[in-house]
Amino acid sequence: MSLSLKKTPIPEQDPKIRTNNFSEVALGYTEEDAATEAARCLQCKTAPCRQGCPVEVDIPAFIGHIKKGDIQAAADNLKAVNSLPAVCGRVCPQEEQCEKFCVLGKKGEPVAVGRLERYAADYLLKNAKPATPLKYAADAQKVAVIGSGPAGLTTAGDLAKMGYKVTIFEALHMPGGVLMYGIPEFRLPKSVVQAEIQVLKEIGVAVQVNFVVGKTLTVDELMDEEGYDAVFIGTGAGLPYFMGVPGENHSGVYSANEFLTRSNLMKAYRFPEYKTPIYVGKKVAVIGGGNVAMDGARTALRLGAEKSYIVYRRSEKELPARAEEVHHAHEEGIIFQLLTAPIEVLGNEQGWVRGMKSVRMELGEPDASGRRSPVEIPGSEFEIEVDVIVVAIGQGPNPLIQATTKGLATNKKGNITADPETGATSKPGVFAGGDIVTGAATVILAMGAGKKAARAIDAYLKEKK
Amino acid sequence: MYRITSISDLAPSIKLFKVEAPLVAKKAQPGQFIILRTDESGERIPLTIADFDRNAGTITLIFQEVGASTIDLGKFIVGDSLLDVVGPLGKPTHIENFGTVVCIGGGIGIAPIFPIARGMKEAGNEVISIIGARSSSIIFWENEMAKASTELHVTTDDGSTGRHGLVTNVLQEMIDAGKKIGLVVAIGPVIMMKVVAELTRKYNIPTVVSVNPVMVDGTGMCGGCRVAVNDINQFACVDGPEFDAHKVDFDGLIARQRFYKTQEKETLDRCLGEGGDHECRCR
């Protein structure tokens, strides 16, 4: 039988329907879809796909189990190395990771590793039996993990499996970090995130929410007074950047963080049943071209906006968002206002947003990032009428821990300085990884950093003992 | 869980809760706040820490039942637990010996000004406090404030207790009498803080206000609480909540506070039973 050059498509909600709900867009493979897709995997001995996976998933092995119809074995195989496979299967940019190296990609489309990962992980969640609690030695060393986003959860899971007593400290009232407050329900259901965290709790990871390290207790206090032998900092890129244009404090200008947190974590999309309000008005402009911007624009549409714009200063080719997200946004009717840069937020007498003054841009020479940099076209000012503006131009590091921890070196941007291979910081026993070190990146890169740090913490603690 | 150990009614619709939160109590300092949630569907509500007892592991919260969320909160009884309490958040008040400190608390602002007055007095300051409200029924903690201060003035808009007039009338008289003031700390409605700031600016008296903009996470993540201070945006939750009163954009603050008025009314109506079939703790 000749195998398809194309990936087995994943069933999706119709764009016309899904813009009216917050349910997941991609519905996941059926048993038949998964079998068809798994059959495409050549089971290469050299497994080039594996080099693309920051969390070291044994891709041919888990797909091999699916091929044989043993989904449980596939899931167990995934879960042994990856604490969050149901998350990765949904939000990893596989096209830049595992799938980029797939041999099938040379002639056609690569194996849909992400979709298969999701299929196996969801099988586990659906048929979940409580995980067996791990047995810890009486004198097991204690590790504090600060932040419960992808980096922290990965470090915590790996260290627990190595026999360490791990406590995760989370500032918000729910664990999950950006997986809970940032990525919308329609891309990553919150029940999936909580189910993956539940497994960590079952194997013995303690999760302390409502705990702001740097305020409630400092890193030094955790180590000196609370008896933690090592600390991992995975506090992410939580500090929103604004544009710095006039009128940005008008009512109706949100940071993407605020807009998405209200909708995702606080469930404002179910207002007034959930009491946190959110306002979209009729026309929303989201500034930026990354995944967060796509999330913002698509959320605005679902919240009832009649028009939802992506306003980006470069062209479509330079959009930093994943192609799949851009495709979904197009399907849903998001209006791409490209080569446009806002220069002023216009307000009414009450100080509410009524519009946005922008200039048109053209592309000049490539900049440091290799993308062609936008140059303003003189005299091209124009106005767009909008009710709400969501600023999604990036986030910086939250400075709280850096400011309250003795001897923790940071770079000019305020990111924690850490060894890329081990996560070791300038402070003995303190490791860091994810966006707090690299600046805003992806879930999977944060997880990869968490995995490396767990290994380094293990080595550090073995030596310390 | 964060158990409520005692409740008192300070005034109609103003309540005091003592809440078990040992980790917060251990670290709390004047000027800081917490964020709480009543239940799964609740908002994150920021409230100033009005007092703390490190030994008992409790904090004191004072709030006015003004919207659905605070009315909901007001229905809790002793022994109930709040779902979430996180803190202490924000920077503590800068306390040192300034000589004479005038502490002004307007309405519900009396709660946060109390630990500041006490701290300032403990630091050796002469503390002259002025507390004010619309009417006598809304004035609370008169005795506590008297104890925390060297001298206490009370004003009401309607003259039902204390001096008939505004807190700024007392402050103006003090200035006119030639009183040397090292610092004014004013906490209350934004408009009151603005008027205090305008007055003290004329006389170059250093003045600090504590702002309470709309806030979500309280850790610097959402930027909803941004306020222009000296034309530069600051986040009230991590850079504040206290700022130099002479540099705060009060008009911007007032405008941003009004943003959710429509939605607030919607939840309030719903909460008060006009929104049809629903479950709400406040019924």
Side-chain angles (χ1 to χ4, degrees), chain B residues 113-147:
Chain B
I113 205 72
F114 165 74
I116 297 173
R118 184 176 60 189
M120 288 293 184
K121 196 176 170 196
E122 281 165 5
N125 289 286
E126 176 192 32
V127 174
I128 303 174
S129 295
I130 311 169
I131 57 175
R134 280 197 318 279
S135 183
S136 64
S137 65
I138 314 168
I139 295 282
F140 59 91
W141 269 11
E142 220 176 311
N143 290 337
E144 283 80 355
M145 281 303 296
K147 259 184 268 172

Side-chain angles (χ1 to χ4, degrees), chain A residues 171-174 181 208-212 215-218 221 225-226 238-240 242 248-255 257-258 261-262 265-266 271-279 350-352 388 398 400, chain B residues 2 23 26-27 32 37 39-44 68-69 72 83-92 214-217 219-224 226-228 233 235 255-256 258-260 263 266-267 270 280:
Chain A
L172 291 169
H173 56 261
M174 291 282 271
Y181 74 73
Q208 168 87 57
V209 294
N210 296 324
F211 197 109
V212 185
K215 288 285 179 189
T216 314
L217 285 177
T218 63
E221 285 167 329
E225 293 167 22
E226 303 296 317
L239 186 79
F242 287 92
E248 207 165 12
N249 283 5
H250 283 321
S251 293
V253 182
Y254 287 99
S255 74
N257 275 359
E258 180 181 2
T261 299
R262 282 180 182 272
L265 179 73
M266 305 310 297
F271 180 89
E273 179 195 353
Y274 282 75
K275 294 199 186 71
T276 302
I278 195 162
Y279 180 77
Q350 281 90 43
W352 285 47
V388 161
N398 186 310
L400 203 50
Chain B
Y2 309 90
L23 289 170
K26 191 177 163 194
K27 282 293 184 76
Q32 292 188 297
R37 275 200 326 156
D39 61 281
E40 209 41 62
S41 66
E43 286 186 89
R44 290 173 66 89
S69 291
D72 249 10
L83 184 58
D84 300 296
V85 174
V86 60
L89 301 171
K91 288 185 177 163
V214 172
M215 194 176 276
V216 185
D217 65 293
T219 62
M221 192 264 281
C222 84
R226 65 193 185 276
V227 53
N233 265 341
F235 292 172
R256 285 182 65 80
R258 282 198 298 253
F259 187 48
Y260 292 109
Q263 287 93 333
E266 191 180 341
T267 45
R270 188 181 152 89
C280 178

Side-chain angles (χ1 to χ4, degrees), chain A residues 91-400:
Chain A
V91 304
C92 270
Q94 288 95 10
E95 65 279 7
E96 291 168 26
Q97 313 276 353
C98 47
E99 294 179 15
K100 182 173 156 185
F101 298 97
C102 177
V103 172
L104 291 188
K106 286 176 185 160
K107 284 202 173 154
E109 288 183 349
V111 173
V113 179
R115 293 170 184 178
L116 289 170
E117 180 178 31
R118 170 182 166 168
Y119 174 73
D122 283 1
Y123 175 89
L124 195 63
L125 295 182
K126 269 187 222 120
N127 303 287
K129 288 172 238 124
T132 318
L134 299 173
K135 290 199 173 64
Y136 295 94
D139 64 342
Q141 287 158 295
K142 281 170 68 181
V143 182
V145 169
I146 306 169
S148 62
L153 292 173
T154 300
T155 310
D158 281 15
L159 285 169
K161 287 170 199 160
M162 293 174 194
Y164 296 102
K165 280 189 186 157
V166 182
T167 304
I168 300 179
F169 295 94
E170 166 56 47
L172 291 169
H173 56 261
M174 291 282 271
V178 73
L179 307 174
M180 287 303 289
Y181 74 73
I183 302 176
E185 179 79 17
F186 57 83
R187 277 216 292 138
L188 179 62
K190 302 310 134 198
S191 58
V192 169
V193 180
Q194 291 308 311
E196 303 245 51
I197 294 170
Q198 184 57 32
V199 176
L200 292 179
K201 289 181 182 171
E202 283 161 6
I203 64 170
V205 173
V207 179
Q208 168 87 57
V209 294
N210 296 324
F211 197 109
V212 185
V213 176
K215 288 285 179 189
T216 314
L217 285 177
T218 63
V219 169
D220 290 290
E221 285 167 329
L222 286 174
M223 299 181 86
D224 300 342
E225 293 167 22
E226 303 296 317
Y228 286 94
D229 299 286
V231 172
F232 175 78
I233 304 170
T235 47
L239 186 79
Y241 290 147
F242 287 92
M243 297 179 285
V245 301
E248 207 165 12
N249 283 5
H250 283 321
S251 293
V253 182
Y254 287 99
S255 74
N257 275 359
E258 180 181 2
F259 191 72
L260 293 171
T261 299
R262 282 180 182 272
S263 182
N264 300 331
L265 179 73
M266 305 310 297
K267 298 201 181 338
Y269 67 89
R270 289 167 68 178
F271 180 89
E273 179 195 353
Y274 282 75
K275 294 199 186 71
T276 302
I278 195 162
Y279 180 77
V280 289
K282 290 187 173 158
K283 294 173 189 168
V284 177
V286 180
I287 318 300
N291 290 323
V292 175
M294 299 304 141
D295 286 346
R298 297 171 69 198
T299 295
L301 214 55
R302 285 162 172 77
L303 287 169
E306 289 166 11
K307 281 187 176 172
S308 181
Y309 297 93
I310 286 282
V311 179
Y312 180 59
R313 57 197 182 131
R314 293 180 164 102
S315 72
E316 175 130 4
K317 217 174 86 192
E318 288 80 22
L319 284 168
R322 284 183 72 188
E324 183 183 320
E325 302 308 326
V326 177
H327 169 71
H328 280 149
H330 274 299
E331 277 186 341
E332 291 172 11
I334 302 294
I335 304 159
F336 283 75
Q337 182 70 46
L338 302 166
L339 290 164
T340 300
I343 53 169
E344 186 182 350
V345 177
L346 306 168
N348 64 15
E349 318 79 60
Q350 281 90 43
W352 285 47
V353 173
R354 67 170 174 84
M356 192 172 72
K357 194 185 279 181
S358 303
V359 285
R360 299 197 193 277
M361 314 292 277
E362 57 190 358
L363 292 178
E365 295 302 306
D367 65 7
S369 72
R371 291 178 300 178
R372 293 176 66 191
S373 47
V375 183
E376 185 181 329
I377 301 174
S380 65
E381 275 184 26
F382 69 105
E383 287 181 14
I384 308 175
E385 200 183 299
V386 289
D387 307 303
V388 161
I389 292 173
V390 177
V391 183
I393 56 171
Q395 298 96 238
N398 186 310
L400 203 50

